[in-house]
Amino acid sequence: MDAFFFVHFLRMMARIFLPIFVISWAVLLPITGAGNTNGLTGLNRFTFGNVPQNETPRYAAHVILVWVFTIWVLYNIKTEMTTFIRLRQEHLVDPIHSASAQANTILITGVPRKFLDEEAIARLFAHLPGGVKKVWLNRDLKELPDVYERRVKASNKLESAEIALQKTALKLNKKANKGTLTPENHPATNREKKGAKMLESATAHPVDAYVPPADRPTHRLPVLGFLPFGRKVDTIDWATKEILETTEILDRERALIAAQEGQAGEKYPPLNSVFVLFNQQIGAHLAAQSLTHNRPYRMTGKFTEVAPADIVWDNLGMNPYEARVRQAISYAATAALIIFWAIPVFGHFEGIPRKTGIELSLMTRFFLFQVVHGFLVVTISGSIISAISDFSKNPTQIPMVLARKLPTASTFFLTYAILQALSGTAGGLLQIVPLVVYYVKLFILGSTPRSVYSIRYDLRDVFFGTLFPTITLLVVISFGYSLIAPIINGLALAAFGMFYFVWKYLFLWQLDQPASGDTGGLFFPKAIQHMFVGLYIQQICLAALFFLLPGGKAMGGVTIALIIITAFFHMIINTSYGPLLHSLPLTLAHKSYGMPKSGESEDVNAEDDDDFGGDPSPTDEAPPKKVPKAVQEQQLVAERPIDTSHVQHNQGPGATQAYGASVPVEGKRNEGPTDFNHPAGVEPQRIVWIPEDPLGIGRIEADHLNSQGVEASTENATMNENGKVEVQDHPPGSDPNTMFG
């Protein structure tokens, strides 16, 4: 949805600037370009300041058009916000989405100690439709995340070392057979090369007949945690031992967590946040909107549409008072950094518990930075510097000089718009940097099957927190100069039109947006707010220019009235659509997956049209919506008669699998849905991925690791005789449909 609404925003801006371009070029260019008494040349002849002082009535055209253009923009904002709400609500109740755990789970922060209990949370929310299906308590795992990271790093190091071992074996075989790989004629090796010093950790290995111990991959252990000057060890032996040790620690401590759960004096006590999975989607949304606790700052942080991959685990245990102090410091630091010219990125410090939340926060901060330094500073400084000499010659004419010089700063922004339209779109289509980076990464980093799989098959995603502000900055610039320098309107139309086709192509064929990182389009209403900033800047600048003109107070007053009307419309938009941005309304609750259909109208088509703004027709029958077979079967289960005697009066899907692919399949690698636990608390050892090779080294090493207790596999990966690794499918043990992967 985020990618769709980004492209939709580009199309909307192209549609907005089409009539603005036609009217402004047909009306304003002749009005401002006729005559040249102010000494302006080139494109500056078509700016606001080129009108002679004795012909100020010409500016009536600017007054009329600022009203016309503003009304046109506001109409489009109203229309597009209505469309956004409709499409977002359709997305929320879509059968596939509403059946997922992401759609039915909320994250609650600032939970008091009294409610840090699964049964207490379930009883608290039993008043809501459907009640609670499962509760996850976030715990203070202390050293376990570090132990988990140690195991991941050891697994990566082991996979790299196994690749190095296989390449060495291939090289030695070719050397012994005069450059030809001959698996059946591999040179027998002694356990120790002549003159080679044995490592302390050297032991018998099943592949010693292929690679002598002295040629095995080695590394030095770090000193003081980062200096690589320690003892030299066999990398495969060390990594195997590290995986076994960390796995033993994790298994032991996880068992301790389960044994001590709910008891006093737990070693790993609960933090002040919980995930709550509801039986019904509407239950999750009502819980997020409800006043949960009777004390300030208790259970006030509630987040819907949460996905495990979107969680910032380090921020889940933050005290709500500390979070607000950090938020104040964060915005103060952002203001200071804007003043002192730096990029404001402080969402993580602020304590925002979701990566998408950090991106949304970044979008606002980065936009403010861009507007201040990319627009206001350039406009004001460029105009004043060029007018200093005129100030010194005739100080009494400062207002007229400013009125003439301020519009001339538009030349820089005309150039900026041209560069964005031409070089930006050309670069987007050519994608030369990603292409070069792809081959460089494949050559330098593409040694293991996992790295090859990641480089070749993981699509690039987009960070909308920085992408959207670069577009909305162009919106602000174009609005700001649409009447002062109307030439920019044609360039803006060309830029947004080309951006629309380029980004649509990129999102269709090159870029990806995983469901866990999708906000459901929430960047779009923020971009609408940025459009209002552009309108305010346009109107304020135009009013200031009118007041600087002799006899321009009336025109300035009319523009001030327009500012007031725009602000009032802005307030109406926020109050009307603000409550609809995040939550699912009760009127659409029955459309969620798993909701009972008894008592509801069977004419789904007419109801959909009425709810989502269509034209209802009692005679036309809607085409059936294509629903996956798995979801159809789940709906049949969900629509069976329900026992209303239970407190959870409208049960949703019963089996864990009925919540979609975001919950791992039960019984495969865990005994229950563990999506919303910290990976250090539940994730099994990642299977070591080794490719098959012509000499069979990979198979031997995988069997040896498995015999030692380290899971390893040669599935879906091969190495040719030149040592090049190829992958045929996703890594073993991973489900490409789950959010943890």
Side-chain angles (χ1 to χ4, degrees), residues 81-242:
M81 283 301 297
T82 302
T83 301
F84 168 76
I85 294 299
R86 175 176 60 84
L87 293 177
R88 175 171 167 80
Q89 290 174 351
E90 287 180 344
H91 162 71
L92 290 177
V93 299
D94 178 80
I96 296 177
H97 176 75
S98 61
S100 67
Q102 178 176 347
N104 292 271
T105 304
I106 66 169
L107 166 63
I108 306 175
T109 59
V111 180
R113 184 68 183 87
K114 173 184 176 182
F115 290 98
L116 291 176
D117 178 83
E118 293 184 17
E119 292 185 3
I121 291 292
R123 287 194 302 269
L124 178 64
F125 291 110
H127 303 284
L128 298 177
V132 173
K133 182 175 182 64
K134 184 171 178 60
V135 176
W136 290 269
L137 303 179
N138 296 303
R139 296 183 175 275
D140 181 7
L141 297 179
K142 299 178 181 177
E143 78 285 353
L144 294 190
D146 293 333
V147 175
Y148 177 78
E149 288 300 319
R150 278 176 53 196
R151 187 171 69 176
V152 172
K153 291 179 180 178
S155 297
N156 291 334
K157 204 168 191 66
L158 179 57
E159 290 179 349
S160 298
E162 293 289 358
I163 294 296
L165 182 72
Q166 290 172 287
K167 289 183 176 180
T168 300
L170 293 173
K171 181 179 178 182
L172 292 176
N173 184 282
K174 286 184 177 181
K175 183 177 180 181
N177 293 283
K178 299 180 180 180
T180 303
L181 184 68
T182 310
E184 62 275 7
N185 187 31
H186 196 85
T189 60
N190 295 321
R191 193 162 181 276
E192 183 179 357
K193 264 189 174 181
K194 185 177 180 180
K197 183 178 179 181
M198 291 291 292
L199 298 173
E200 295 180 26
S201 62
T203 57
H205 302 95
V207 295
D208 282 353
Y210 295 88
V211 179
D215 285 340
R216 289 173 61 86
T218 62
H219 73 284
R220 291 189 179 276
L221 297 178
V223 178
L224 301 177
F226 63 96
L227 297 175
F229 302 129
R231 178 169 56 92
K232 192 175 184 180
V233 296
D234 183 291
T235 300
I236 295 178
D237 290 343
W238 175 88
T240 302
K241 181 181 178 182
E242 182 80 352

Side-chain angles (χ1 to χ4, degrees), residues 52 55 208 392 437 448 480 671:
E55 297 184 20
D208 282 353
S392 60
V437 170
T448 67
E671 295 181 352

Side-chain angles (χ1 to χ4, degrees), residues 67 70 535-544 547 556-570:
W67 277 79
T70 299
L535 288 177
Y536 292 137
I537 290 177
Q538 174 203 61
Q539 296 163 7
I540 291 172
C541 290
L542 200 61
F547 282 121
V558 172
T559 310
I560 293 295
L562 181 61
I563 296 175
I564 296 173
I565 292 175
T566 303
F568 178 74
F569 185 87
H570 189 186

